[in-house]
Amino acid sequence: MHRLIYALLVAAFCAVLLQTGVWAAAPKATVIKNVEVFDATGAAPWRGTVVIRDGRIVDAGPKAKVPRGAKVIDGKGRALLPGLYDVHTHWSPRGTPSALPEIAARYLAAGVTTVNDFHQAPEAFAPRRDWLTSVPSPHVNFVARMSTPGGHGADWSDQSTTKWVFTPESAKRAVQELLPYEPDYIKVFTDGWRYGTSPEETSMNEETLVALLDEAHANGLRILTHTVTSARGGQAARAGVDIIAHSLQDRALSEEDLADIVASGLYYAPTLAIYEPRGNLDMENAATRQRVWKYGLAEENLRTLFAAGVPVALGTDAGIGSLVHGEGTLRELELLVKAGLSPTDALIAGTANSAAALGLLEDRGTIEAGKRADLILVDGKPWETISDIRKISLVFVDGKLLHDAAKPAPLPPLTLPVLTAQPLIDDFEREDGRTALDTLAVTDLDFGAERSVIASARRPLPEGGHALSVSAQMARKDKPMAGVVFPLSRGSVAPVDVTAYEGVSLDLFGEGEYTLRILTLTGYWEARVSAGKGWQSLSAPFSAFAFTGNPESAPAWTGKDLLQVGVMASRPGGESAWFEIDNIGFYSAD
């Protein structure tokens, strides 16, 4: 009897230890054996075994042992490589594909396990990071953006998306403003050259770039630049840029520029895939023709830099134009070889070099014990024939099998769960400048190099409370526009359902006609409203909103996919516009 009681007590104690993790069972290992390994360390490929446990490579080599109880994958006839990188992509709503789960799946299918996304406003970083935890995905780094007033990158975005700086002081402040969003890196548009097809946009002076870099590096942030001319490549090098994320292609590199770049130790990601002449390019477009014409210089400067010892990384600019996510990365590897790199050098560019460029080489990028188990299994030998990299069979991220070419997994939902709309968008009573929905309003809608100048301020009303005052000096161009946009969820990431409401309502004080604009997952919808003397309470039913795209392909209004509501003014170029708004939201029939 005593023995039975003792045995029961011991069993209960052991159960407690297991439950609390004190005696947690060792995680089951995954083993890929009998496989030819390209480890990206510079060593020749070797045949052997790689052991994975708890997301890490715990053993790798010709003599590595298979642990008891491990899940074993026979790699006979196949090759194992580190996961690929793409240090320059845009997860754009107008890219191919456009939905986050689709983009993630495309990169996994292409063997890409680490990606930089250059496209998101900082407000979207946190919700998109949360979203990615529920979607099979590569590691996605979110990159904040900085440019100059009138510069590339500032020509289509507001200052909540791309910071505009033109002095050392403003550059340092802008870096500090970005820190609460925890960007992984910062992209800086230093170069306004437009491929010789139009007048240049503004470029960043060296003093500002140096100050920006000093502040970013002091806060542990690496800098990638949009730099496309040889002279500014030298400037970027002297300033201390970490990665040039485009090709230098206005002319052949001078000896001075080359020496500066070599001495700096920066990495070079030429994004050849975005410049490559392709059959689906619009050759009637002058900018496209010019970029294609300069492609030979992009290849020439790549060869010069590589021969001089400048480390090459892999980036594509996928999501811009017609360059497809995932496919662009594989094509970039082929173009690096076509430009003169060996297949081995191209693969190292797409793995270890890119990891080093991003400061991640201690964590991943090669196949070595202790490294993160981001791995791809390939049917072929891409270090001999680079096109074999397209024969990807299995893709592991953190040791988890996320892509099996033989058993494609169904896509998860393409959007986040729909949120229920709140009746009030904003009454402008928060002192921190955020809306009643805890979102950040965007106060600039006028795209292009020539921008309307917009100012907005929360002002007290005589009768109590506050309103938003917006004024603008319209740009001297056709159809200038200015206004303010209110995201309905943080970063305009999650769609919102307004089917419980009849339309949009607001208090408006202004002069003349204004436009209410709604952004949905399917596009923009607009309705006109007029303001007279004094405050007016206005409402616009959803039935009054018309789709602004091609009417022949206009989607049906559902009311279940709203992202933003905005108020805009359009006046002749050179004129001014103003309005004040309060209590903007949705109204119901009762």
Side-chain angles (χ1 to χ4, degrees), residues 162-499:
T162 303
K163 297 291 185 185
W164 305 353
V165 301
F166 212 59
T167 64
E169 292 78 12
S170 64
K172 290 181 178 181
R173 290 193 186 102
V175 171
Q176 287 295 325
E177 290 168 5
L178 289 170
L179 294 179
Y181 293 103
E182 299 181 355
D184 296 298
Y185 304 96
I186 297 176
K187 176 184 181 181
V188 182
F189 296 87
T190 65
D191 204 328
W193 186 64
R194 305 304 298 140
Y195 305 100
T197 61
S198 62
E200 290 188 23
E201 297 176 333
T202 61
S203 297
M204 187 172 292
N205 61 63
E206 192 164 337
E207 293 79 9
T208 299
L209 182 56
V210 168
L212 191 161
L213 280 154
D214 287 347
E215 189 68 22
H217 287 165
N219 286 280
L221 290 169
R222 295 191 177 209
I223 299 294
L224 304 92
T225 62
H226 173 102
T227 305
V228 291
T229 57
S230 297
R232 292 200 175 273
Q235 173 186 290
R238 292 189 297 274
V241 162
D242 300 291
I243 307 171
I244 291 178
H246 267 308
S247 281
L248 307 177
Q249 53 184 294
D250 63 322
R251 58 168 172 79
L253 283 161
S254 69
E255 291 184 4
E256 293 79 10
D257 293 334
L258 177 61
D260 285 338
I261 293 172
V262 171
S264 74
L266 64 73
Y267 288 77
Y268 186 67
T271 64
L272 296 175
I274 194 66
Y275 301 118
E276 180 194 15
R278 300 190 301 279
N280 60 347
L281 291 177
D282 178 13
M283 297 307 292
E284 296 299 316
N285 182 281
T288 300
R289 289 198 305 272
Q290 189 76 354
R291 287 167 71 144
V292 168
W293 178 69
K294 294 290 186 181
Y295 184 75
L297 280 171
E299 290 183 307
E300 178 184 340
N301 284 336
L302 169 60
R303 286 190 290 268
T304 298
L305 291 165
F306 180 74
V310 175
V312 175
L314 192 153
T316 61
D317 215 5
I320 297 298
S322 59
L323 189 59
V324 178
H325 294 289
E327 161 61 27
T329 312
L330 300 178
R331 185 57 183 157
E332 184 75 12
L333 286 168
E334 294 170 337
L335 293 174
L336 291 174
V337 173
K338 186 171 179 285
L341 276 67
S342 71
T344 292
D345 291 327
L347 292 172
I348 289 177
T351 55
N353 277 8
S354 293
L358 298 177
L360 300 175
L361 188 56
E362 291 187 4
D363 180 66
R364 65 191 98 147
T366 60
I367 298 179
E368 299 176 275
K371 293 291 182 76
R372 191 181 296 270
D374 294 348
L375 304 167
I376 59 176
L377 198 61
V378 176
D379 296 325
K381 298 181 179 181
W383 56 88
E384 294 178 356
T385 304
I386 193 62
S387 59
D388 280 357
I389 196 64
R390 295 180 175 276
K391 302 173 183 177
I392 294 167
S393 58
L394 301 179
V395 179
F396 298 84
V397 178
D398 289 336
K400 298 176 183 177
L401 178 60
L402 294 189
H403 174 76
D404 184 342
K407 301 174 185 177
L411 281 173
L414 299 184
T415 67
L416 283 170
V418 177
L419 304 177
T420 300
Q422 301 301 309
L424 178 65
I425 296 174
D426 204 4
D427 57 5
F428 309 101
E429 296 307 318
R430 285 184 58 159
E431 295 183 357
D432 61 2
R434 299 185 73 82
T435 70
L437 302 174
D438 196 28
T439 64
L440 186 66
V442 175
T443 57
D444 192 343
L445 294 169
D446 197 17
F447 302 148
E450 189 74 34
R451 308 294 294 268
S452 296
V453 179
I454 302 173
S456 66
R458 172 178 170 267
R459 77 168 185 88
L461 296 171
E463 62 273 22
H466 295 81
L468 184 70
S469 178
V470 180
S471 60
Q473 181 67 40
M474 310 307 286
R476 289 179 172 82
K477 63 181 182 181
D478 290 338
K479 300 179 179 179
M481 192 178 299
V484 59
V485 166
F486 302 96
L488 301 180
S489 66
R490 185 163 185 173
S492 303
V493 175
V496 170
D497 183 344
V498 297
T499 55

